Amino acid sequence: MRFVESGAGQSYKVISPQPLEILMRPLVDAHLDLAWNATAHDRDLSLSLEEMNAAESGMTDVSYRGRATVTFPEMRAAGVFLCLGTLLARSGPAHLRKPNYARTDLDYTTRIGSYAAANAQLACYRFWEQQGEIRLIQTKHDFDEHLTECADESCHKVGVIISMEGADPILNPAQLEEWHQQGLRAIGPAHYGHSHYAGGTAVDGPLTQDGRELLKAMERLKMGLDVTHLCDRSMEEAFELFGGTIWASHHNSRTLVPNDRQLSDEQMQKLIHRDGVIGTACDAWMLRTGWTIGKTTPEGLTLEAIVDHIDHVCQMAGNADHAALGSDLDGGFGTEQTPEDLKSIADLQRIGELLDQRGYDSNDIEQIFSLNWLRLFRKVLPDNL
Ligand SMILES: [Zn+2]
């Protein structure tokens, strides 16, 4: 694909559409809450998608029972050979028990609660590695070996790099080294509300003193900073303070769908300037303006909306070097809140075809599907343990 300046400033248009090409492309997904699904939702990800959804028949504890899109067999069918797998538990000031407090399955009043929950999730990844479902990628050696084996098709395990969504399970910045030794390679300091380290979605405010220390410690350990969910002030400060590898794992455009959960064009430009990558998420309310969770239905929303957000990043950058996918599938929602033609993570493959129809060439699509994430992920892995 070529990007040509369409006039003023940084605006680009796509020209020369290429002929349709349908093939299975290796895919990297930068955001999947795999372990949280096992611990909080009691899901067996080794089942087929059909089996797992059938097993939830009649369950009503959450709206997305029986509507899952991700299991390990399904990831293999999707061509997902590598992902960031999260640790997700909160115990920040936003999540302390208060009057009318409705506990969610990721909130803890005590920090030890979130610490223990994240460790339980870590145990899931270790178990899955022992079961041969995944390969934990902790070093550059693991990474290179996995890619070599995937390239000659001798590996059918999903590579998983551990990331943390909301840093509350890290009891203090000094404990970061311990987490790093356990395999943690990237962190998003906040989730929804204030964490102990930063302001997250739906609030605003600066990094805390511990947040600043955490970022410095992450930089020393060459860990990745995931700015997704940081509120504007905390993100601004993080851009200034953190000199290491930076990305937005699952984050869409505020210009296309206005909401503080989304990235402004200015924030996208900062990420692009830092050689960052932005993963487009598949949660419907981030794809379509005016979506009301629990009310709006996916009719009329298709994978094209995901491509719109990917394309927005590419048009901002003037190339395809900074856009990618961070699907967030099964991240607290199911097919009631995905595009109507996205019933399984395997449907993400069709995005290649749609990009092709918009004029992206096979190199661009390869960048978006895998190479952009590979470029960044390798940087945050130590040579050896
Ligand atoms: Zn998230």
Side-chain angles (χ1 to χ4, degrees):
M1 170 165 171
R2 284 184 289 153
F3 296 84
V4 290
E5 270 197 83
S6 62
Q10 290 290 308
S11 179
Y12 292 83
K13 276 198 178 121
V14 178
I15 57 168
S16 305
Q18 304 295 310
L20 189 71
E21 186 181 287
I22 300 170
L23 48 94
M24 175 73 124
R25 296 177 170 90
L27 181 60
V28 178
D29 190 332
H31 194 84
L32 288 170
D33 299 318
L34 297 170
W36 180 62
N37 271 279
T39 58
H41 300 327
D42 196 20
R43 283 176 162 166
D44 180 356
L45 272 61
S46 67
L47 298 176
S48 73
L49 192 57
E50 233 174 26
E51 288 168 331
M52 197 175 86
N53 280 327
E56 298 189 352
S57 152
M59 293 180 75
T60 56
D61 58 332
V62 287
S63 59
Y64 41 90
R65 285 293 184 192
R67 292 172 172 154
T69 54
V70 182
T71 67
F72 291 127
E74 211 65 15
M75 288 174 77
R76 285 188 274 276
V80 176
F81 68 101
L82 181 66
C83 70
L84 291 187
T86 65
L87 307 177
L88 170 62
R90 310 186 295 208
S91 59
H95 310 108
L96 298 179
R97 195 173 294 142
K98 35 185 150 347
N100 304 319
Y101 170 87
R103 187 178 183 278
T104 74
D105 48 24
L106 43 84
D107 290 336
Y108 297 85
T109 296
T110 61
R111 294 194 79 172
I112 191 64
S114 63
Y115 172 81
N119 270 286
Q121 292 174 22
L122 199 52
C124 290
Y125 291 109
R126 293 199 178 119
F127 172 78
W128 288 328
E129 183 168 56
Q130 284 166 12
Q131 296 294 302
E133 297 283 5
I134 69 168
R135 180 206 293 252
L136 282 175
I137 309 287
Q138 297 191 62
T139 63
K140 283 189 170 65
H141 175 79
D142 297 340
F143 181 90
D144 294 341
E145 195 174 74
H146 185 62
L147 262 57
T148 304
E149 288 183 19
C150 289
D152 70 16
E153 296 185 355
S154 62
C155 178
H156 300 284
K157 296 174 186 172
V158 179
V160 176
I161 298 171
I162 306 288
S163 180
M164 189 179 274
E165 182 171 31
D168 290 333
I170 301 167
L171 297 178
N172 52 61
Q175 202 197 37
L176 185 64
E177 203 144 331
E178 177 188 320
W179 281 99
H180 189 257
Q181 281 165 9
Q182 303 284 332
L184 184 65
R185 296 294 177 259
I187 296 173
H191 190 227
Y192 281 78
H194 289 282
S195 76
H196 285 285
Y197 297 99
T201 301
V203 296
D204 202 15
L207 299 172
T208 65
Q209 188 51 37
D210 271 0
R212 293 180 195 108
E213 284 175 31
L214 184 76
L215 259 56
K216 282 303 179 196
M218 285 168 61
E219 188 176 334
R220 278 196 298 277
L221 290 166
K222 296 192 166 31
M223 295 174 78
L225 171 65
D226 183 354
V227 299
T228 292
H229 285 295
L230 285 180
C231 67
D232 289 353
R233 274 179 71 192
S234 288
M235 195 186 300
E236 181 70 33
E237 212 181 324
F239 276 128
E240 283 167 23
L241 198 69
F242 185 78
T245 305
I246 196 163
W247 63 66
S249 65
H250 57 305
H251 222 149
N252 296 353
S253 161
R254 193 180 295 185
T255 299
L256 297 185
V257 181
N259 188 285
D260 80 328
R261 165 74 179 81
Q262 314 271 66
L263 282 169
S264 69
D265 287 352
E266 190 190 346
Q267 290 166 336
M268 278 193 184
Q269 286 292 7
K270 281 187 179 163
L271 281 160
I272 290 163
H273 182 69
R274 293 277 296 268
D275 194 34
V277 172
I278 298 154
T280 294
C282 304
D283 193 340
W285 75 271
M286 299 181 221
L287 293 167
R288 178 198 265 175
T289 304
W291 182 283
T292 307
I293 291 175
K295 287 201 172 140
T296 314
T297 57
E299 276 86 55
L301 179 69
T302 68
L303 290 164
E304 291 282 4
I306 296 171
V307 179
D308 289 344
H309 283 265
I310 293 173
D311 185 59
H312 187 79
V313 177
C314 294
Q315 302 300 335
M316 297 269 311
N319 57 52
D321 297 342
H322 303 279
L325 280 161
S327 76
D328 200 15
L329 288 170
D330 292 354
F333 61 97
T335 52
E336 79 290 353
Q337 206 169 299
T338 59
E340 60 182 355
D341 49 356
L342 205 177
K343 303 289 186 206
S344 152
I345 191 168
D347 292 324
L348 294 180
Q349 274 295 326
R350 293 202 35 241
I351 289 170
E353 184 187 324
L354 299 176
L355 286 166
D356 184 288
Q357 286 167 3
R358 293 200 193 189
Y360 285 77
D361 67 26
S362 55
N363 290 335
D364 297 325
I365 299 172
E366 200 181 359
Q367 292 288 122
I368 293 164
F369 265 52
S370 60
L371 299 184
N372 291 336
W373 282 135
L374 297 185
R375 178 180 83 238
L376 259 59
F377 292 170
R378 197 172 188 282
K379 287 188 199 174
V380 304
L381 299 171
D383 292 331
N384 41 50
L385 291 176

